[in-house]
Amino acid sequence: MKQFLSFVRKEFYHVFRDSKTLLMLFGLPIVQIVLFGFALTNEIKNSKIVICDYAKDEATQQIISKIEASRNFEIQKTLISHKQIEEAFKEGNIKLAIIFPANFNKDLLHLNKAQVQIIADASDPNTANTLTNYATNIIMDYQQELMKNKAMPFRIVPELRMLYNPELKGATNFVPGVMALVLMLICVMMTAVSVVKEKETGTMEVLLVSPFNPFLVIISKAIPYLFLSLINLTIILVLSVTLLDMPINGSILLLFGASTLLIITALSLGLLISNVTQSQQTAMLISMMGMMLPTMLFTGFMFPLENMPYPLQIIANAVPSKWYYIIVKSIMIKGLGFSAIWKETLILFGMTCFLLIVSIRKFKIRLV
């Protein structure tokens, strides 16, 4: 045990003496969670639009006021004629144009219907669909206010309710995925260079002739990064709650337990990469490319897995971050307990055991 603690202490010294390692370990996750948390969002805010109002009556002014109050739109200017719209789109700053025809309020009161033309720049179809839906919802809200005291026969009014994310914030979907991405990248990169560094500095020969148990060598190299990664996780959660308004509706202890499983999985994978590579550059390259792309593609926070071909969905099941992403969303957003995530937790635990055993066996083979 004394030898084991000495080895763990040595690994801590290696980490704290290397300023680049500390910067990567603590600086990179903070930068990633802030940048990805604010940048990766499916919300569209402050989109510049123009309005051509031929009516200039009470109804159109109320609708325009609602549009101005919305955080999704920013009215750049009001046009005199619809002939100016095409020129406004050609300038490249305008994403949407709304045209109110003459006698809008009169048609609404006397004919019970009025027309509004919404023109969107469909060079980006997703943005165009989103903006037209925003504008349509604002107009429909105004219509609902007019119809409060007027009951129409056989009128079906759907009631919409958004569970867990009523404001449709993009951070609610992306933050759990970014957590999985950050933990996988950092933990794998940190441990991927540990054994390779022993080879390059010439201390591997000391391990080859020492009576030290290979299992304890692996554990002693992983323990410092495990503790530091848990500190990293705490920083990420604090930033998510304070800066990105992410809720933590479930058990924090359960969240830390599931995160610990993912961290151990990533550390084991990093040790495995370190065992099969011969240089730190190769280990870093494999860990970066081998972890970033699968985590971003097969986790499900950027691209829906259901839309992928079935063979890719099978491959996604082998990515640990997919199961961690499901667990984090269930705990943080839905507030569920262990009974709802035990299957995903069991799969993640199995991956952890498998990678840890393979890493130890590979290290034993290298010592022989």
Side-chain angles (χ1 to χ4, degrees):
M1 180 58 68
K2 186 176 181 180
Q3 288 179 328
F4 174 70
L5 293 178
S6 299
F7 218 98
V8 172
R9 191 181 305 114
K10 177 185 76 71
E11 292 297 327
F12 270 111
Y13 287 154
H14 279 316
V15 174
F16 290 120
R17 287 173 180 172
D18 191 350
S19 58
K20 294 181 180 178
T21 300
L22 288 176
L23 181 61
M24 184 177 297
L25 187 62
F26 293 106
L28 187 60
I30 294 175
V31 172
Q32 284 184 329
I33 196 68
V34 172
L35 289 181
F36 280 108
F38 284 106
L40 291 181
T41 175
N42 50 13
E43 296 179 274
I44 301 177
K45 302 177 183 178
N46 301 320
S47 182
K48 295 181 180 179
I49 66 172
V50 294
I51 292 179
C52 181
D53 185 7
Y54 286 109
K56 292 183 174 61
D57 51 35
E58 180 182 357
T60 59
Q61 293 303 313
Q62 290 180 1
I63 295 176
I64 292 173
S65 297
K66 286 182 172 292
I67 294 174
E68 286 178 330
S70 173
R71 63 178 182 176
N72 304 115
F73 296 113
E74 177 185 339
I75 300 177
Q76 189 177 43
K77 57 183 176 180
T78 301
L79 304 180
I80 300 176
S81 172
H82 65 277
K83 296 180 180 179
Q84 299 174 286
I85 291 177
E86 185 175 356
E87 189 65 30
F89 276 114
K90 288 181 179 180
E91 293 177 359
N93 296 325
I94 304 302
K95 299 296 183 182
L96 194 80
I98 301 177
I99 303 176
F100 294 99
N103 302 320
F104 180 85
N105 194 32
K106 292 181 181 178
D107 292 343
L108 195 61
L109 295 177
H110 298 293
L111 302 178
N112 291 327
K113 66 176 182 179
Q115 292 183 339
V116 179
Q117 187 175 17
I118 301 175
I119 304 174
D121 181 2
S123 58
D124 186 347
N126 293 330
T127 301
N129 286 328
T130 303
L131 291 179
T132 53
N133 289 333
Y134 287 160
T136 302
N137 289 335
I138 292 174
I139 296 172
M140 293 300 295
D141 286 341
Y142 176 74
Q143 177 183 327
Q144 291 295 326
E145 292 178 2
L146 291 180
M147 299 304 299
K148 281 182 180 179
N149 300 321
K150 296 181 180 180
M152 295 179 63
F154 306 107
R155 183 167 177 257
I156 300 175
V157 180
E159 181 179 348
L160 302 179
R161 185 183 178 190
M162 300 296 180
L163 293 177
Y164 311 121
N165 186 17
E167 296 181 1
L168 299 179
K169 293 181 179 179
T172 305
N173 177 57
F174 286 117
V175 166
V178 173
M179 287 174 59
L181 177 63
V182 168
L183 291 178
M184 285 294 293
L185 283 179
I186 297 302
C187 296
V188 172
M189 282 193 299
M190 289 297 98
T191 52
V193 298
S194 59
V195 176
V196 179
K197 186 184 295 184
E198 301 283 357
K199 303 175 194 175
E200 293 187 346
T201 56
T203 54
M204 179 60 73
E205 288 76 9
V206 179
L207 293 176
L208 290 173
V209 298
S210 66
F212 206 64
N213 192 323
F215 177 76
L216 296 181
V217 173
I218 292 291
I219 297 300
S220 63
K221 285 186 173 294
I223 283 179
Y225 296 109
L226 173 61
F227 280 103
L228 294 174
S229 297
L230 290 175
I231 296 174
N232 238 335
L233 174 64
T234 304
I235 296 173
I236 291 173
L237 291 177
V238 171
L239 291 176
S240 300
V241 173
T242 56
L243 295 183
L244 304 176
D245 296 326
M246 271 294 297
I248 303 180
N249 297 321
S251 171
I252 296 181
L253 291 178
L254 185 59
L255 179 61
F256 268 85
S259 301
T260 302
L261 272 181
L262 180 75
I263 291 171
I264 296 175
T265 304
L267 294 176
S268 302
L269 187 56
L271 290 172
L272 180 60
I273 294 173
S274 185
N275 281 324
V276 299
T277 53
Q278 301 299 324
S279 66
Q280 295 186 53
Q281 290 81 4
T282 305
M284 290 288 288
L285 181 61
I286 293 176
S287 60
M288 281 289 293
M289 298 302 297
M291 289 299 102
M292 180 175 288
L293 289 179
T295 302
M296 295 182 67
L297 293 177
F298 297 123
T299 298
F301 75 99
M302 292 192 68
F303 308 103
L305 297 178
E306 296 80 6
N307 296 342
M308 296 183 180
Y310 189 70
L312 292 181
Q313 295 184 33
I314 296 176
I315 295 174
N317 292 331
V319 179
S321 55
K322 171 195 173 181
W323 307 106
Y324 177 73
Y325 174 68
I326 297 173
I327 293 172
V328 172
K329 288 186 69 176
S330 300
I331 296 174
M332 292 185 66
I333 302 172
K334 298 181 180 180
L336 302 179
F338 181 75
S339 60
I341 59 170
W342 68 269
K343 293 181 180 179
E344 291 80 7
T345 306
L346 186 61
I347 293 173
L348 194 58
F349 178 75
M351 291 181 176
T352 304
C353 294
F354 173 76
L355 289 172
L356 192 58
I357 292 172
V358 172
S359 299
I360 295 173
R361 286 178 61 88
K362 190 69 178 178
F363 191 71
K364 282 183 177 180
I365 294 173
R366 185 170 291 277
L367 288 178
V368 175

